[in-house]
Amino acid sequence: MNPTRTRFCLRLAVSLAGVYAIHLPALATEAGVDNIGTGTDGFFMLPLEVDSLPDNMVAFNIYYNHYKATKFHISSLGGKVPNVEIESTAVIPRLDYLSPLRIFGGRLAGYIAQPWLKQEVSVFGLQDTREGMGDTTIAPIILWDMGKNLTLGAAVEITVPTGEYSTDRLANTSNNFYTYKPLFSFTWLPTERTEVSMKTTYSFNEKNKDTDYKSGQIFHFDYSASYKITDDLMLGLNGYYLKQTTDDKQFGRTVQFNGEDVNDGVRGQVFAIGPALHWTFLKYASAEIRWAKEFDVENRPEGEMLWAKVSIPYAF
């Protein structure tokens, strides 16, 4: 079994709010970051045959993530930002729980994730490194058993700004705002040897009170398609897509550059795709590694993403 998993609040880039100290304008969503954690989910986003699982189950998950970007094009700074290097490393424990309770015809579950982050930033001739606890993500989720080959899930994720943040820093381990994310996901086995999974979210961001910056709303999905090579090994493609749907605002109006409203609202966009490998061991435990390269990027850092995960379920 691969229990339900969704994203944690990973800083995919860096909070560049510290740049305000040298009188540069505000940056995108804010600084091109969000509370989504794009690419977190790949193979078997939901468990199959949920109704046949034990009444109480937990899954202990450990994620590793590494992201590196050397390109950053953002309209609130007038376009391409030169000499950028952004590197983020994270280790994220996550605990999933599947209960016997039923609601709206499905089984009630929940999860909590707490990342530990290291951010390394070089931009505008300045450098900064920060390491520490990131923002916490919690969620209740309902899982619907649609037969042995299909499971549906719906959740509301809440990201709480529990990490450290300062406007005087280039690198932060918190985005310093709450995010609420309705979520819908599925895992489907079209044939005995193939798997398709997808998770879609829509983010509503609160204001960063320290900068009076409110990041726009975001539509996003992670996807996975894989083929079973052996009984225990699967090879596939994975990736993500993100599209910001509303403008960023600061001080109650659209973000500005050189005293004028930015015409694209600093709306971010990215598509990523890459190979992935999944291995099942000890009958139900699993490990996976996934890589993706970003394309068609707007108002965000552009780079490469690596994810690894180990998941161990336990029934009681």
Side-chain angles (χ1 to χ4, degrees), residues 3-310:
T4 308
R5 60 180 188 261
T6 52
R7 70 190 91 60
F8 53 90
C9 56
L10 173 64
R11 298 321 126 230
L12 298 183
V14 56
S15 176
L16 292 174
V19 177
Y20 297 127
I22 55 176
H23 308 292
L24 290 173
L27 305 179
T29 323
E30 176 169 12
V33 299
D34 53 62
N35 282 329
I36 293 174
T38 48
T40 305
D41 291 310
F43 302 94
F44 295 99
M45 296 182 189
L46 300 177
L48 293 169
E49 299 185 84
V50 175
D51 289 347
S52 67
L53 296 177
D55 283 348
N56 292 281
M57 289 195 71
V58 295
F60 302 95
N61 308 288
I62 188 78
Y63 295 83
Y64 169 83
N65 173 264
H66 184 262
Y67 177 80
K68 185 173 183 179
T70 56
K71 297 179 180 179
F72 192 20
H73 189 284
I74 186 163
S75 58
S76 57
L77 285 179
K80 181 180 179 181
V81 179
N83 303 319
V84 172
E85 186 168 329
I86 299 168
E87 196 161 356
S88 176
T89 303
V91 176
I92 311 102
R94 181 178 133 169
L95 181 65
D96 299 347
Y97 171 63
L98 178 63
S99 81
L101 300 178
R102 293 191 171 273
I103 183 171
F104 301 121
R107 285 187 66 173
L108 183 63
Y111 50 89
I112 181 169
Q114 179 58 67
W116 183 266
L117 308 175
K118 182 179 181 180
Q119 304 283 18
E120 300 173 86
V121 186
S122 177
V123 64
F124 302 118
L126 304 174
Q127 293 183 330
D128 192 15
T129 299
R130 299 289 170 178
E131 185 172 357
M133 184 177 74
D135 295 341
T136 306
T137 293
I138 58 175
I141 185 169
I142 304 172
L143 302 175
W144 289 278
D145 188 334
M146 308 300 292
K148 66 178 183 178
N149 295 326
L150 177 64
T151 300
L152 305 178
V156 177
E157 288 190 347
I158 302 171
T159 297
V160 182
T162 53
E164 294 186 0
Y165 178 86
S166 171
T167 58
D168 297 327
R169 299 174 180 173
L170 282 175
N172 283 289
T173 61
S174 173
N175 278 340
N176 202 41
F177 56 81
Y178 286 83
T179 299
Y180 308 95
K181 292 163 285 187
L183 176 155
F184 175 77
S185 56
F186 70 84
T187 289
W188 175 44
L189 303 185
T191 71
E192 291 184 358
R193 306 193 72 85
T194 56
E195 170 264 344
V196 177
S197 290
M198 182 174 288
K199 174 190 68 184
T200 63
T201 71
Y202 195 86
S203 295
F204 297 90
N205 299 305
E206 294 288 339
K207 183 185 296 182
N208 181 340
K209 294 181 179 179
D210 289 352
T211 60
D212 204 45
Y213 196 110
K214 184 176 177 61
S215 297
Q217 299 171 17
I218 299 173
F219 169 77
H220 145 265
F221 64 81
D222 291 344
Y223 65 90
S224 169
S226 59
Y227 180 79
K228 184 180 290 187
I229 301 173
T230 70
D231 288 343
D232 299 323
L233 190 65
M234 300 192 76
L235 180 65
L237 291 174
N238 83 120
Y240 48 89
Y241 174 75
L242 177 150
K243 181 71 173 179
Q244 188 173 333
T245 60
T246 65
D247 293 350
D248 285 2
K249 295 183 180 296
Q250 189 174 32
F251 309 123
R253 60 178 300 167
T254 300
V255 172
Q256 294 188 326
F257 176 69
N258 283 342
E260 296 183 0
D261 291 352
V262 175
N263 59 13
D264 66 358
V266 205
R267 298 191 185 195
Q269 175 179 293
V270 63
F271 171 76
I273 188 169
L277 196 66
H278 180 276
W279 175 50
T280 303
F281 63 98
L282 299 178
K283 193 174 182 179
Y284 295 116
S286 65
E288 61 187 68
I289 185 166
R290 295 178 284 111
W291 177 86
K293 179 173 176 55
E294 295 181 330
F295 300 93
D296 196 24
V297 181
E298 297 178 6
N299 291 317
R300 298 172 62 87
E302 179 179 345
E304 299 175 356
M305 182 85 72
L306 175 70
W307 281 100
K309 179 192 174 186
V310 175

